[in-house]
Amino acid sequence: MVEWTAAERRHVEAVWSKIDIDVCGPLALQRCLIVYPWTQRYFGSFGDLSTDAAIVGNPKVAAHGVVALTGLRTALDHMDEIKSTYAALSVLHSEKLHVDPDNFRLLCECLTIVVAGKMGKKMSPEMQAAWQKYLCAVVSALGRQYH
Amino acid sequence: MNDDCNDGDDDADDDDDDDDDDDDDNCSLEGNYLNVNMSLSSKQKATVKDFFSKMSTRSDDIGAEALSRLVAVYPQTKSYFSHWKDASPGSAPVRKHGITIMGGVYDAVGKIDDLKGGLLSLSELHAFMLRVDPVNFKLLAHCMLVCMSMIFPEEFTPQVHVAVDKFLAQLALALAEKYR
């Protein structure tokens, strides 16, 4: 189980309080699809992803960004049981969606950069550490049921 | 630096009860593509030069912040600075060294058309004297990208992000060139 100090819990909550999921979700997924274009392989049914402008204007990408970020937020209410919280989602991503779990890490990198852009220096180094620890725990849980 | 978060091999041995090893560390960012050569297009080189030029008034701050964040987010990197009195985030030696490193990055921008040739002596320094595990270049690059996004949120578009990310990866490859 991941151990959290009180300060880390506060930091993670503080970051989430600055995140508008409807804004950051789409931005993070768009950035991921642009910066790591091979991630587009999972979105064949989303329509036009042929240019950066198409990605940014694509409503399915935006909607899915919201879904993904909402899923990432779930752990905030279950910080002491992250593994079990994401067990079913992990099975889904492995057995139905067939997503290479390295992609979770790439999306989280892009999310951190989007959030850093919104928060500026209000995201202190200690806050960034706690935030990345949180994302790492979720990424680990999501990859856990792959076999 | 181990690859805990992405490693599926451990799972066979795990039971479903608490296990402390795989969840606690920050994720390795090394990925597989540190060793894959994705070279920059001329447009991307221009994007990098342009952004670094815009950034130049804040480059010291970004360098200092980036190294502070490296030691905060990836505390194992402090192992390279055991000779400093204080290797904590924001400390004077960390900030000063971050500025030095950023100076090196700017120098590399000027050598963007031949990073391997241009960074030969720096690579020898890192290979034979400093012996920094190359995985850490990727960690520092990530922290630099975070700082760039923080300080230039409007300018650090996805297009700039991908160009700078590729550049820093190429820089890391050039630095590791002499390692073995």
Side-chain angles (χ1 to χ4, degrees), chain A residues 31 52 113 121 123 132 136, chain B residues 5 27 61 69 149 159:
Chain A
R31 192 169 281 254
D52 294 350
I113 281 164
K121 288 223 189 163
M123 186 192 249
Q132 288 198 211
C136 190
Chain B
C5 291
C27 285
D61 193 21
R69 280 155 199 283
S149 180
Q159 292 71 28

Side-chain angles (χ1 to χ4, degrees), chain B residues 26-66:
Chain B
N26 260 300
C27 285
S28 167
L29 290 186
E30 70 206 82
N32 293 320
Y33 58 96
L34 190 61
N35 298 318
V36 177
N37 195 357
M38 296 183 225
S39 32
L40 290 138
S41 67
S42 19
K43 183 153 182 263
Q44 286 170 334
K45 286 182 188 175
T47 299
V48 169
K49 287 182 184 167
D50 184 60
F51 181 72
F52 271 74
S53 165
K54 280 192 188 121
M55 220 175 59
S56 56
T57 53
R58 301 295 301 272
S59 61
D60 281 0
D61 193 21
I62 288 175
E65 274 290 329

